[in-house]
Amino acid sequence: MSSSSSCGVSPPVRTEILNPISNRFFAPSRINFQPRSKCEMINRRGFALKGIVASGLSVMGSSLTSEPVQGVERLPFKPDGYNFWTWRGRKIHYVVQGEGFPIVLIHGFGASAFHWRYNIPELAKNYKVYAVDLLGFGWSEKAIIEYDAMIWRDQVVDFLKEIVKEPTVLVGNSLGGFTALVAAVGLPEQVVGLALLNSAGQFGDAKTKTTESEETFLQKFVLKPLKEVFQRVVLQILFWQAKQPTRIESVLKNVYINTSNVDDYLVESIKMPADDPNAGEVYYRLMTRFMLNQTEYTLDSFLSKLTCPLLLLWGDLDPWVGPAKANRIKEFYPNTTLVNLKAGHCPHDEVPELANKALVDWLSTIATKASSLQTV
């Protein structure tokens, strides 16, 4: 298989749908531990439309001239990627650094392993850190397949079996959080801890029952094809719009409360994958067959099967996935530690020094327990 770099998916939703956020700078002075509380279920379709824009934007050419966060080491950007693994005949990109107890980092929709730029070097001081690009995103292959949450679960499970090969902690942001959850349930004998950062996924609604009715000839052969043609045209336009620099900057600044880390490195790590020839088709498939049809898989259905300790590392100022969702997860799954940060949707990249500290503090207890179990 060729070594050409693949692409990420570039989301094009209009910025008008985003909730406005204050441009005021929030100084992250401390980590807050928040008690349990009830929360309302977030509208699934609204989150899908908003969430895809969180990290899946692209930008026209930019140079990596920005300075890293002061006092925090940054992963060097490599246009050709780091390491590649062949999975089911597809090329999968990943980064690995450090030695010791393994941690696997999983990015959100449209992002890549480079979104963990400020976490990998710091965590690698004490752990063996992997960051993997999900199929269809980042530097992994842009496969023209039918995408489903279980595709990424299988990818992560096989990555743990074939590459990591020992007890592991999974850490995921946004879509990567939901993927980490389903993978932890799929391989409980190897996943000994799970950390979710502003995770995607919704709780099921017991009152809502979907019923399937047989399609008529008109629906199947006339209306449905017309709908698909219309969707494709609209999404092609939106995909093109998402590549405009002003749109990218606007959306990213709605996701990061402190926008100082919305820099050339970040936008270039999103822009490059979107140049892949298959990026548009992958985006279309994700939008029409995955993002807007997620009723089959719910948070509660997987949390009810989870067996390992859970850390919720939550950006409280996220305009799309607020702290109420974290409280509901903690209420549903008692074996949970909740840490609140003054940040938006991507706390690991917005306030990396605080996110790293919270992860290291929690990981120290998980790694100790895992080591003791191995020696028994």
Side-chain angles (χ1 to χ4, degrees):
M1 187 171 294
S2 67
S3 60
S4 60
S5 63
S6 346
C7 87
V9 182
S10 202
V13 179
R14 296 179 60 190
T15 54
E16 286 85 347
I17 69 171
L18 301 173
N19 294 327
I21 311 177
S22 170
N23 292 323
R24 184 162 55 98
F25 172 77
F26 291 87
S29 57
R30 68 175 187 275
I31 298 174
N32 300 319
F33 289 83
Q34 183 153 324
R36 305 178 188 177
S37 70
K38 295 183 179 180
C39 73
E40 297 178 359
M41 184 172 66
I42 299 173
N43 177 273
R44 182 175 290 108
R45 174 162 297 197
F47 175 76
L49 285 172
K50 297 173 185 177
I52 41 182
V53 210
S55 10
L57 300 169
S58 62
V59 66
M60 304 304 281
S62 59
S63 59
L64 304 185
T65 57
S66 58
E67 293 296 323
V69 174
Q70 188 173 1
V72 182
E73 187 178 350
R74 185 172 71 179
L75 179 75
F77 183 82
K78 291 188 177 182
D80 294 327
Y82 277 77
N83 307 284
F84 291 89
W85 163 59
T86 300
W87 177 68
R88 297 183 180 180
R90 308 292 187 180
K91 200 171 69 169
I92 302 299
H93 173 250
Y94 71 97
V95 177
V96 58
Q97 286 191 0
E99 296 296 335
F101 185 82
I103 308 163
V104 177
L105 309 176
I106 309 173
H107 62 81
F109 192 103
S112 70
F114 289 110
H115 204 195
W116 302 99
R117 54 186 172 163
Y118 290 119
N119 315 108
I120 294 171
E122 183 65 26
L123 296 174
K125 294 176 181 178
N126 297 294
Y127 302 97
K128 188 169 187 177
V129 183
Y130 298 86
V132 62
D133 285 356
L134 297 176
L135 185 68
F137 297 107
W139 274 248
S140 286
E141 187 170 338
K142 300 305 154 298
I144 305 301
I145 61 172
E146 300 305 314
Y147 285 89
D148 180 273
M150 298 302 102
I151 290 290
W152 297 313
R153 176 203 63 182
D154 294 346
Q155 177 194 334
V156 172
V157 165
D158 288 346
F159 185 81
L160 296 180
K161 290 178 178 179
E162 297 180 24
I163 302 297
V164 181
K165 300 179 181 179
E166 52 184 317
T168 310
V169 167
L170 294 180
V171 181
N173 170 236
S174 194
L175 173 65
F178 189 75
T179 300
L181 171 61
V182 297
V185 171
L187 195 64
E189 63 273 22
Q190 192 171 342
V191 179
V192 297
L194 173 67
L196 305 180
L197 291 77
N198 295 66
S199 179
Q202 304 301 325
F203 281 88
D205 186 352
K207 297 179 181 179
T208 302
K209 294 183 180 180
T210 57
T211 57
E212 295 184 1
S213 58
E214 187 176 348
E215 289 182 311
T216 65
F217 179 88
L218 179 65
Q219 290 172 324
K220 186 173 183 179
F221 295 104
V222 179
L223 298 180
K224 189 174 181 180
L226 284 174
K227 178 183 176 183
E228 290 177 355
V229 169
F230 177 75
Q231 285 178 330
R232 184 174 290 276
V233 171
V234 170
L235 289 174
Q236 284 176 344
I237 294 171
L238 291 175
F239 184 73
W240 178 84
Q241 287 180 335
K243 296 185 177 184
Q244 306 312 307
T246 53
R247 180 62 55 87
I248 288 124
E249 183 179 3
S250 173
V251 176
L252 288 174
K253 286 184 176 180
N254 273 283
V255 180
Y256 286 62
I257 305 305
N258 173 9
T259 60
S260 60
N261 282 357
V262 179
D263 56 15
D264 292 339
Y265 183 120
L266 179 61
V267 296
E268 187 71 10
S269 72
I270 296 168
K271 175 259 179 187
M272 286 191 68
D275 289 336
D276 187 280
N278 287 344
E281 179 62 24
V282 171
Y283 174 75
Y284 170 76
R285 289 170 181 247
L286 286 166
M287 285 292 292
T288 58
R289 305 171 195 184
F290 171 69
M291 291 303 294
L292 300 181
N293 185 26
Q294 304 178 72
T295 57
E296 186 177 353
Y297 309 112
T298 61
L299 283 172
D300 43 306
S301 66
F302 290 103
L303 286 169
S304 63
K305 300 173 186 175
L306 190 66
T307 58
C308 63
L310 172 64
L311 169 67
L312 298 178
L313 191 54
W314 220 263
D316 271 357
L317 305 178
D318 187 343
W320 303 333
V321 189
K325 184 175 183 179
N327 291 330
R328 186 171 181 184
I329 293 174
K330 180 174 174 62
E331 189 175 80
F332 187 93
Y333 190 72
N335 191 13
T336 297
T337 300
L338 174 58
V339 178
N340 299 103
L341 300 177
K342 297 299 182 184
H345 190 64
C346 309
H348 60 293
D349 191 60
E350 185 179 339
V351 287
E353 64 282 7
L354 295 181
N356 289 338
K357 182 182 185 306
L359 275 169
V360 168
D361 290 347
W362 180 77
L363 284 167
S364 63
T365 63
I366 302 300
T368 301
K369 290 179 182 177
S371 299
S372 63
L373 289 175
Q374 283 185 294
T375 57
V376 173

